[in-house]
Amino acid sequence: EPEVTQTPSHQVTQMGQEVILRCVPISNHLYFYWYRQILGQKVEFLVSFYNNEISEKSEIFDDQFSVERPDGSNFTLKIRSTKLEDSAMYFCASRETDISANVLTFGAGSRLTVL
Amino acid sequence: AQSVTQLDSQVPVFEEAPVELRCNYSSSVSVYLFWYVQYPNQGLQLLLKYLSGSTLVESINGFEAEFNKSQTSFHLRKPSVHISDTAEYFCAVTARGGYQKVTFGTGTKLQVIP
């Protein structure tokens, strides 16, 4: 079954450092999303991306965050200068183009620990 | 905008007993509804979905959920739980008709007691 792949599975970084989380969505999907889950809390929407631009973003997704689709397969989330409160599990998701399906498929997540 | 309320943060239940995990949603437009499951140290997996048609939807592992528009609910049920069902369950909603974001509830941890 097709799956969304995320790397790294776990990254530890120092406060103030830049982090890039990578995602390979399912090949025929065109809509991409990033969510995060702080330990023990709810899954929160960060950003959605379609046709090489952001279609929606939450208030969490401030200027420290950016997303990019640098080539035909990868979808990245960059945090420019990490803060302690950025420690969370980050989930990438993609959605197929058939609107009747309307289901997000999630990756296994990238755990970010900021020290 | 849509929102989801899962009032029960934790539900302990004995093995082979029935369980119901409650979910209520709020939306000014028609919605699609989902239940996702997260096993320990894993990602989110789709358990079941309601898009249209029959209001009762079932998963392959015995869970079912019923869409109740008048009560704006989408409760998840299983008549007999197994140890392997121990996980966190998230109810989620998205507006119909577009590729909009999915909004999650706060999750319910189901703990199955042997």
Side-chain angles (χ1 to χ4, degrees), chain B residues 93-107:
Chain B
V93 65
T94 188
R96 284 177 178 260
Y99 293 93
Q100 301 185 49
K101 67 181 181 188
V102 173
T103 300
F104 286 84
T106 49

Side-chain angles (χ1 to χ4, degrees), chain B residues 3-19:
Chain B
S3 67
V4 177
T5 301
Q6 293 181 255
L7 288 175
D8 304 308
S9 59
Q10 293 191 51
V11 173
V13 62
F14 286 103
E15 194 174 15
E16 296 184 7
V19 70

Side-chain angles (χ1 to χ4, degrees), chain B residues 28-70:
Chain B
S28 57
V29 299
S30 296
V31 297
Y32 298 129
L33 292 156
F34 310 89
W35 278 98
Y36 281 84
V37 59
Q38 185 178 33
Y39 297 102
N41 300 313
Q42 293 188 29
L44 295 159
Q45 299 174 33
L46 180 69
L47 185 62
L48 46 75
K49 62 186 180 186
Y50 170 75
L51 302 182
S52 64
S54 172
T55 56
L56 184 66
V57 291
E58 298 177 353
S59 73
I60 57 172
N61 57 352
F63 282 93
E64 64 179 30
E66 186 160 20
F67 169 56
N68 187 318
K69 188 175 179 181
S70 62

